[in-house]
Amino acid sequence: MQDPAPLEDLARRAATGDSAALDRLLTGIRPEVVRRCGRFLPCREDAEEAAQDVLFQVARHITGFEGRSRFGTWLYTVVANCCRQKYRELKRRAAEQPAAIEPAEHVDPRTTSVIAGSRVDLLEALDRLEREHPQLVGPLVYRDICQLEYAEVAERLGIPLGTLKSRLHEARKQVRPWLTAD
């Protein structure tokens, strides 16, 4: 992503209704948004679709950005939510049209899905973690997928750093067997 200082300024101005600032902000963040979406959805087309959803959500909800945290942290929340929603949508579509999908013989079904190449193992693990231990999802997504700094994650979640580290450790412990199971 480009230098964060101008983006922070653009985000604050866009949040007050400055449409020119919003246009520049959306243009400036697009490459990073596509890259971040690619961490969740490695199929380029899926990542680009999710990125469009992210940009739409940013444009629609920028007035909700109050500047209490960094814009980048706020943005990664939108990225994570849109990517997980896109995965659920792709999964639902695949279930509704199973005959249209023919799995390739050389594909590892744990890491590549017939759902347009999504990381089904990771996304399924996140869905399961959310059902079983919802308080552990945020730390894992923000730190390990979005790669935010520990302090940023703790600030974003509104929890002490020690609690964050404890939850992150527990989340990794819970998810590890689901990702390595045959």
Side-chain angles (χ1 to χ4, degrees):
M1 193 165 359
Q2 59 179 272
D3 179 16
L7 288 180
E8 294 293 326
D9 180 55
L10 285 172
R12 281 192 294 279
R13 290 184 11 229
T16 64
D18 183 338
S19 60
L22 177 60
D23 288 343
R24 289 181 47 217
L25 178 68
L26 294 173
T27 300
I29 64 172
R30 187 182 190 295
E32 178 69 9
V33 166
V34 171
R35 190 176 72 76
R36 293 281 175 172
C37 288
R39 288 202 174 128
F40 285 90
L41 302 162
C43 177
R44 179 94 178 148
E45 292 82 13
D46 293 345
E48 287 176 355
E49 269 189 54
Q52 288 303 314
D53 294 345
V54 169
L55 296 174
F56 176 74
Q57 292 300 323
V58 168
R60 188 169 179 211
H61 298 288
I62 190 67
T63 56
F65 174 64
E66 299 171 349
R68 286 184 278 159
S69 63
R70 291 182 346 160
F71 172 71
T73 304
W74 183 85
L75 177 63
Y76 296 145
T77 303
V78 177
V79 167
N81 290 338
C82 285
C83 287
R84 293 177 67 213
Q85 184 59 38
K86 178 57 65 180
Y87 167 71
R88 289 181 187 121
E89 177 186 319
L90 291 167
K91 185 177 173 184
R92 189 174 50 252
R93 268 194 262 161
E96 290 169 359
Q97 302 173 347
I101 299 169
E102 295 180 25
E105 293 176 20
H106 65 282
V107 173
D108 178 354
R110 289 185 310 112
T111 59
T112 306
S113 166
V114 293
I115 307 169
S118 298
R119 278 292 311 262
V120 77
D121 60 340
L122 176 61
L123 294 164
E124 285 292 335
L126 288 173
D127 275 354
R128 183 173 175 185
L129 187 64
E130 188 168 42
R131 285 190 308 274
E132 296 178 13
H133 306 282
Q135 76 282 6
L136 302 179
V137 174
L140 187 68
V141 168
Y142 291 139
R143 179 67 190 133
D144 289 356
I145 298 173
C146 295
Q147 297 181 336
L148 297 178
E149 297 295 325
Y150 285 101
E152 282 184 86
V153 176
E155 177 187 334
R156 178 71 187 149
L157 296 174
I159 58 176
L161 189 59
T163 302
L164 166 69
K165 289 180 178 182
S166 173
R167 287 183 183 175
L168 184 58
H169 173 76
E170 184 61 27
R172 289 171 176 161
K173 187 172 103 179
Q174 291 291 323
V175 168
R176 189 174 294 118
W178 302 335
L179 295 177
T180 58
D182 289 325

